[in-house]
Structure formats: C-alpha cells, structure tokens
Amino acid sequence: MSDLLAQRRHEEGAGGQFRADLLAPQGSDIEGDSGWLLVYLDVMTLLLVLFIVLLSFADPDPDPRPPQRLPSVLLPAPLAVPGVEPSATAPSVGAAEASDDGRAMEAPDIASDRVTVIRESDRVSLRIQDSLLFESGAASLTGEGLGLLDELVPVLRAHDGAISVEGHTDNRPIATDAFPSNWELSTARATEVVRYLDAAGVPAERMRAVGRADTDPVAPNTNAPGRAANRRVDLILHRESDP
C-alpha cells in the first residue's frame, strides 16, 4: 500500500514540474523576471514608513477653542509720537493723564510766522530755525534773533512751568577752537538764549539749557533742506507739575 502511494506522489510531482515547464516561455528566467516585484515592494514599504513618520508629527488632539484675546489692561500702551495727535481709539498715556486732571497744555498765541508751535499732550514746543538766531558756526545772537526773542518774552514770562531751551545741529562735524564738536556748539547756543531771556525778565530758576547736537533730528540729514530743519533751537514749555 505504501509503495503505491509513493509511486503516485512521484508521478504527480513529475507532472507538476512538466506543466510548469510548459507554461513558462522558452528561454525565460522565472527568478529574474520577478525582480520588478521586489522593487515594487520596496517602494511600498518606503511609502508606508513615510506615512507613519508624518502621522507621528500630526497633532492628535487639536484645540478647537479660538485664541483668547488678552485683557486690555495687560496690553502695552501705544507709544506717543511727538507732533502727532493721538487717535480716539488709542490715546497715549500723556493724553489720558491730561484729560483726566483737566490740565492739558494750551498752545500760546504766537503772532510771528518765524516760530513753529508744536503742541503735545504735556508740553508745547516753540521751534526756531538757527539761521534766525545765529550766524553759521557761531553762538552769538544776531540782531534779528534778539528781536525775535523779545517777541517771545511775554509768553515765556506768563508761563508758570519749567522751560527747556534745547540747541540742535545737523550731522556735519565742526572742529574749531571755540567749538570742537557739535556738542559744544549746540550747548553754547542754548546757553546764549537762556542768558538773554534771563536778562529780559524770564525767571532763571524755571529755565535750563540743553545741548543735543545731532542726536534728535526732525528730518533726514541726507539733503540740504533736511539739514536746515535739524539746525534749530526749541523752547519747550512744560506743565507746572513737570520737574
């Protein structure tokens, strides 16, 4: 019985091999033709790994709540820009204080068109171009400058707060025996104005002379009009409470 089963299995094996030989094309290599399948499986494996890596970076539990806005008390106050009136929706700190205590600065009545009046929340600046007060590179008041300051004396004497007299230059260097740099020139000009106002009756204890050189320009120093605008003397009228 066992001999018959062994013989039958032998015949079936031989027949299967024979059928495989018939189905395979002549001259073909079965193992070589299956190489594309290995490449395909490698590509699919790489795509699967890439998908898993991308999935690991995904947020599994995104927050559906919209972002919360900070309370207004925690937000920084907007910066006040000199010469620009603050808007109604975002007032500057100085403007808010002035409106709360009812002591907002009022611009004085200046009739001369040679003085530019700049009103800010806590101060008023009277701006004079240096050519109206001094010769180029000098710190002695001209006749026109003396007359212009005489027009401002009544306004300055009526003001009860502090008065800062600031001298400003452009960025072109100066190097003379009297003024080694723009610091000395701007300080000397501010001091000269304070001395004259003191002699004209403006209380000296309320005035101070400040030399700013070219550190506070109001226009670019890249052209002649800009440099001319930067050469100036500012008489700043502070509120009474300011030091």
Side-chain angles (χ1 to χ4, degrees):
M1 184 68 176
S2 59
D3 294 339
L4 292 176
L5 291 175
Q7 181 178 1
R8 184 175 179 180
R9 291 176 180 174
H10 177 74
E11 292 176 354
E12 289 177 354
Q17 180 67 34
F18 177 74
R19 287 193 298 270
D21 293 340
L22 290 177
L23 293 176
Q26 294 183 356
S28 63
D29 187 358
I30 297 177
E31 295 182 357
D33 291 343
S34 63
W36 67 271
L37 181 59
L38 297 177
V39 175
Y40 175 77
L41 292 176
D42 290 341
V43 172
M44 294 302 295
T45 302
L46 292 175
L47 291 176
L48 180 60
V49 171
L50 178 61
F51 176 76
I52 294 174
V53 171
L54 294 177
L55 186 62
S56 65
F57 284 102
D59 188 0
D61 186 18
D63 189 359
R65 296 174 299 175
Q68 300 295 324
R69 297 184 60 182
L70 289 175
S72 58
V73 296
L74 299 180
L75 296 177
L79 295 177
V81 180
V84 178
E85 292 293 335
S87 63
T89 56
S92 64
V93 175
E97 293 176 352
S99 60
D100 289 342
D101 57 22
R103 294 185 298 147
M105 287 286 294
E106 293 184 2
D109 186 11
I110 305 296
S112 177
D113 57 357
R114 296 175 295 175
V115 179
T116 302
V117 180
I118 303 173
R119 182 182 183 276
E120 302 177 37
S121 60
D122 60 345
R123 67 188 64 187
V124 173
S125 298
L126 309 180
R127 179 161 297 169
I128 308 172
Q129 297 308 125
D130 74 325
S131 59
L132 299 176
L133 299 175
F134 307 99
E135 297 289 344
S136 177
S140 298
L141 287 167
T142 62
E144 182 181 7
L146 294 175
L148 180 55
L149 292 179
D150 287 337
E151 296 178 16
L152 299 179
V153 166
V155 174
L156 300 177
R157 292 181 63 181
H159 178 65
D160 295 330
I163 301 173
S164 297
V165 179
E166 295 186 352
H168 300 266
T169 67
D170 58 27
N171 67 342
R172 293 184 301 179
I174 184 174
T176 64
D177 294 337
F179 310 112
S181 70
N182 283 321
W183 288 108
E184 286 80 8
L185 176 61
S186 61
T187 302
R189 286 180 169 180
T191 303
E192 184 72 10
V193 172
V194 167
R195 284 176 177 168
Y196 183 78
L197 294 177
D198 179 25
V202 180
E205 64 272 12
R206 293 196 285 108
M207 292 189 296
R208 57 191 176 190
V210 182
R212 303 293 298 274
D214 61 340
T215 61
D216 189 20
V218 294
N221 279 302
T222 55
N223 52 61
R227 290 191 294 268
N230 292 329
R231 297 190 301 269
R232 67 195 191 277
V233 173
D234 288 343
L235 282 69
I236 303 175
L237 312 182
H238 301 271
R239 295 201 308 179
E240 294 181 39
S241 59
D242 291 342

